[in-house]
Amino acid sequence: MGEFELIRQIFMPLAGQSGSAALLLGPGDDCAIQRVPPGQDLVFSIDTLVEGIHFPHHYDAEKLGWRALAVAVSDLAAMGADPRCFTLALTLPEARREWLEAFARGLGSAAGVFGIVLAGGDTTRGPLTLSLQVHGTVPAGTALLRSGAQAGDLVCVSGTVGDAGLALTYLDDPDPSADAAAVLKRYHFPMPRLELGRRLRGFASAAIDVSDGLLADLGHILQASGVGARIDGALVPLSEALCRLSDHGRLRAAVTAGDDYELAVTIPEHRWRALADDVREQLTVVGSVTTEQGLVIINGDDVQGATGFDHFGDV
Amino acid sequence: MGEFELIRQIFMPLAGQSGSAALLLGPGDDCAIQRVPPGQDLVFSIDTLVEGIHFPHHYDAEKLGWRALAVAVSDLAAMGADPRCFTLALTLPEARREWLEAFARGLGSAAGVFGIVLAGGDTTRGPLTLSLQVHGTVPAGTALLRSGAQAGDLVCVSGTVGDAGLALTYLDDPDPSADAAAVLKRYHFPMPRLELGRRLRGFASAAIDVSDGLLADLGHILQASGVGARIDGALVPLSEALCRLSDHGRLRAAVTAGDDYELAVTIPEHRWRALADDVREQLTVVGSVTTEQGLVIINGDDVQGATGFDHFGDV
């Protein structure tokens, strides 16, 4: 069997069934075809992961499959979108069956959990690099943008931040403690906040996913919205595992670490009160939006001047 | 200025204006938003180009910009789609202003000619690799597929094939002849057959763009359609420049060379006669579709057994 045929066989089970409502035509032609339902907008984003930059050399293929899709789908969560389909541009040095099967297993698990199907792709020989483009839909005009934050809005963050960043310390630990295992899980198997994003449509005034660090990503909202914010460092949600594992400088580390894939959102106060309890429970209010530009952090002196992860970025 | 800001400034002029009919939201948020008009299908494809595989090391950045978009847009031509917008995942070793500006110039020229705007992207540090995803639209249900060829249909190819493949011989020629310059232009600045593709909607029974070589790509149509074809090698259209530059084995080279980005299509005879003259003039009938599977080439003994370019491929 040729390498191309091997790749085709391994990825075909992930393909969306052609003729389904979401995907008129899946992999195998020059293009895929999607019919976006009337009254819906198409929401899409492309993300690249490079070996040695976004994941370690010789990273486990199954984890890579999950992570690559999770990272991409997280952008749909940040828009409040429902996942539909994705394309995969996979560049790899050689087509080894074992690696490909493990990668497809991780990718397929994630696709099943996130409710998204493979629409098409391109595989090429070269240094290990993945670009995934994800497609989602939202009722027309309801996508959550970065640009809608207004002075007085509450600044909220979902879950806890910093775990995935702390996990980098334990990547080579042959026998991690339970706490280390907990933060490692956040790194290897991020869970994009899809359901939360959807539930925030019509409530959040701005949203972003925390991929480059809470400070950096919150900064993107503030810049896009032309506002500032005042954050209370003591309110930033940290996991119990992180608190046990780290001490000095842990707040700074937590708000500048990437890869958490939580949501940072701004919500007008009256809409916050109108949110369902189970949605509010997923969020922590950490501050509020201000007219004065810039991000001020109280109760977190060691954080001032810190920025997030940046080796180029989204265009 | 940071590298990220440099990249943003250089690519922003290519961005689609947010709020336009095609693109509700362009670069700068977690996702872009496209509103597909009612009664239209979204047609999309992702393509990767790797340095040293799909283009030479130290390839001119401006030519790379053009080529990368042309190669991707050619898949839209093969579907008969109208180009709308594209995303760019650009991985590059360093953010040099001069290189980026030249690349964006080539990309921007191509985008202007093809009528497509930048919707978003991701730039990362790593070995030079580009993935572009292009979005087009077609009136619902009219996209040209690979799978519709039927016995008796005419097999046609647009323009001439083989020039881009032959050009590889002259890439390092410091002073190419006029003929060499002509084939080099085909390699550096491919022109996807967008207008022809659109005009073939409702006429062609199957279509593909010639990226891997006429034989290989025609083979994809035959396989997808469950048919065979009989091709007359003497009818395969070759440019005058190619005929002057090469002699022995030129047909074999021409039908197995990639990168021409012509269209190979099948058309029922009665629809061929119904085509407008100016469309027919862009096509050459080279054979017909047969019930017997397989591709038979007469008047081209040296071609039997030849296949096209393949280092992995589309999923």
Side-chain angles (χ1 to χ4, degrees):
Chain A
M1 190 192 306
E3 288 177 326
F4 169 62
E5 184 55 25
L6 172 67
I7 289 168
R8 207 191 61 83
Q9 281 192 11
I10 287 173
F11 285 108
M12 267 303 161
L14 279 66
Q17 207 181 344
S18 289
S20 68
L23 200 59
L24 283 189
L25 184 70
D29 213 301
D30 291 297
C31 292
I33 308 179
Q34 185 182 1
R35 189 165 287 173
V36 179
Q40 300 267 320
D41 288 337
L42 175 74
V43 167
F44 57 100
S45 171
I46 191 163
D47 276 286
T48 299
L49 299 182
V50 180
E51 183 176 40
I53 303 268
H54 302 91
F55 57 92
H57 287 280
H58 311 294
Y59 188 58
D60 179 77
E62 184 168 350
K63 294 189 178 82
L64 180 61
W66 179 290
R67 242 178 88 76
L69 189 58
V71 166
V73 161
S74 180
D75 283 319
L76 295 179
M79 304 295 280
D82 298 298
R84 296 296 178 198
C85 59
F86 70 101
T87 57
L88 167 67
L90 175 60
T91 302
L92 71 174
E94 51 175 351
R96 280 198 306 118
R97 175 187 289 273
E98 195 187 2
W99 191 95
L100 285 163
E101 285 179 345
F103 176 78
R105 201 158 52 236
L107 191 68
S109 300
V113 170
F114 307 154
I116 194 167
V117 296
L118 181 66
D122 190 12
T123 54
T124 54
R125 191 184 294 278
L128 186 57
T129 308
L130 305 88
S131 289
L132 279 90
Q133 177 156 325
V134 289
H135 288 198
T137 55
V138 289
T142 68
L144 303 176
L145 309 186
R146 295 182 181 179
S147 52
Q150 296 206 312
D153 290 355
L154 301 175
V155 175
C156 309
V157 61
S158 66
T160 61
V161 295
D163 285 356
L166 181 58
L168 296 174
T169 321
Y170 300 100
L171 281 181
D172 296 323
D173 188 338
D175 184 26
S177 67
D179 284 334
V183 299
L184 279 167
K185 191 176 172 204
R186 291 288 307 272
Y187 178 82
H188 293 310
F189 299 103
M191 277 297 296
R193 292 280 186 173
L194 286 165
E195 177 58 21
L196 179 61
R198 278 191 285 261
R199 301 280 301 274
L200 288 171
R201 291 196 304 236
F203 292 91
S205 53
I208 193 168
D209 67 318
V210 180
S211 55
D212 296 345
L214 180 60
L215 288 198
D217 289 314
L218 203 48
H220 292 140
I221 285 185
L222 303 181
Q223 189 175 20
S225 301
V227 293
R230 185 180 171 88
I231 302 295
D232 186 341
L235 297 179
V236 171
L238 305 177
S239 73
E240 291 178 19
L242 181 140
C243 290
R244 281 190 295 262
L245 289 169
S246 65
D247 187 7
H248 180 72
R250 72 184 177 201
L251 178 62
R252 182 190 178 99
V255 295
T256 56
D259 294 333
D260 286 315
Y261 302 103
E262 295 292 352
L263 295 184
V265 300
T266 61
I267 308 179
E269 272 209 79
H270 67 281
R271 291 205 205 133
W272 169 260
R273 288 191 298 269
L275 273 174
D277 287 345
D278 66 314
V279 176
R280 266 205 307 259
E281 280 163 14
Q282 297 175 57
L283 294 167
T284 303
V285 177
V286 296
S288 59
V289 178
T290 58
T291 313
E292 302 77 35
Q293 308 238 339
L295 183 56
V296 175
I297 299 142
I298 60 166
N299 295 324
D301 289 342
D302 65 342
V303 171
Q304 297 296 346
T307 57
F309 172 94
D310 180 12
H311 32 71
F312 310 156
D314 297 334
V315 169
Chain B
M1 191 191 307
E3 288 177 327
F4 169 63
E5 184 55 25
L6 172 67
I7 289 168
R8 206 191 61 83
Q9 281 192 10
I10 287 173
F11 286 107
M12 267 303 162
L14 279 66
Q17 207 181 343
S18 289
S20 67
L23 199 60
L24 282 189
L25 184 70
D29 213 302
D30 291 297
C31 292
I33 308 178
Q34 184 182 1
R35 188 165 288 173
V36 179
Q40 300 267 320
D41 287 339
L42 175 73
V43 166
F44 57 99
S45 172
I46 192 163
D47 276 285
T48 299
L49 299 182
V50 180
E51 183 176 41
I53 304 266
H54 302 92
F55 57 92
H57 287 280
H58 311 295
Y59 188 57
D60 179 78
E62 186 168 350
K63 295 190 178 82
L64 181 62
W66 178 288
R67 242 177 87 75
L69 189 56
V71 166
V73 161
S74 181
D75 283 319
L76 295 180
M79 304 294 281
D82 299 298
R84 297 297 178 197
C85 59
F86 71 100
T87 56
L88 167 67
L90 175 61
T91 302
L92 72 174
E94 51 174 350
R96 280 199 305 117
R97 176 187 288 274
E98 194 186 2
W99 191 95
L100 284 164
E101 284 179 344
F103 176 78
R105 202 157 50 235
L107 191 69
S109 300
V113 169
F114 307 153
I116 195 166
V117 296
L118 182 67
D122 190 14
T123 55
T124 53
R125 192 184 294 279
L128 185 56
T129 308
L130 303 88
S131 289
L132 279 89
Q133 177 155 324
V134 289
H135 288 197
T137 55
V138 289
T142 68
L144 304 175
L145 309 186
R146 295 181 181 179
S147 52
Q150 296 206 311
D153 290 354
L154 301 176
V155 175
C156 310
V157 59
S158 66
T160 61
V161 295
D163 285 355
L166 181 58
L168 296 174
T169 321
Y170 300 101
L171 281 181
D172 295 323
D173 188 338
D175 184 24
S177 67
D179 284 334
V183 299
L184 279 166
K185 191 176 172 202
R186 291 288 306 272
Y187 178 83
H188 293 311
F189 299 104
M191 277 297 295
R193 292 279 185 173
L194 286 165
E195 178 58 20
L196 178 61
R198 277 191 286 259
R199 301 282 299 274
L200 287 171
R201 291 198 304 238
F203 292 91
S205 53
I208 194 169
D209 66 318
V210 181
S211 55
D212 296 344
L214 180 60
L215 289 198
D217 289 314
L218 203 48
H220 293 141
I221 285 185
L222 303 181
Q223 190 176 18
S225 301
V227 293
R230 185 180 170 88
I231 302 296
D232 185 342
L235 296 179
V236 171
L238 306 177
S239 74
E240 292 178 18
L242 180 141
C243 290
R244 281 190 296 262
L245 288 169
S246 65
D247 188 5
H248 180 71
R250 72 184 176 203
L251 178 62
R252 182 189 177 99
V255 296
T256 56
D259 293 334
D260 286 315
Y261 302 104
E262 296 292 351
L263 295 184
V265 300
T266 60
I267 308 179
E269 272 210 79
H270 68 280
R271 290 205 207 134
W272 169 260
R273 289 191 298 270
L275 273 174
D277 287 345
D278 67 314
V279 175
R280 266 205 308 259
E281 280 163 14
Q282 297 175 58
L283 294 166
T284 303
V285 177
V286 295
S288 60
V289 178
T290 59
T291 313
E292 302 78 35
Q293 307 237 341
L295 182 56
V296 175
I297 299 144
I298 59 166
N299 295 323
D301 288 343
D302 64 340
V303 170
Q304 298 296 348
T307 58
F309 171 93
D310 179 14
H311 32 68
F312 311 156
D314 296 333
V315 170

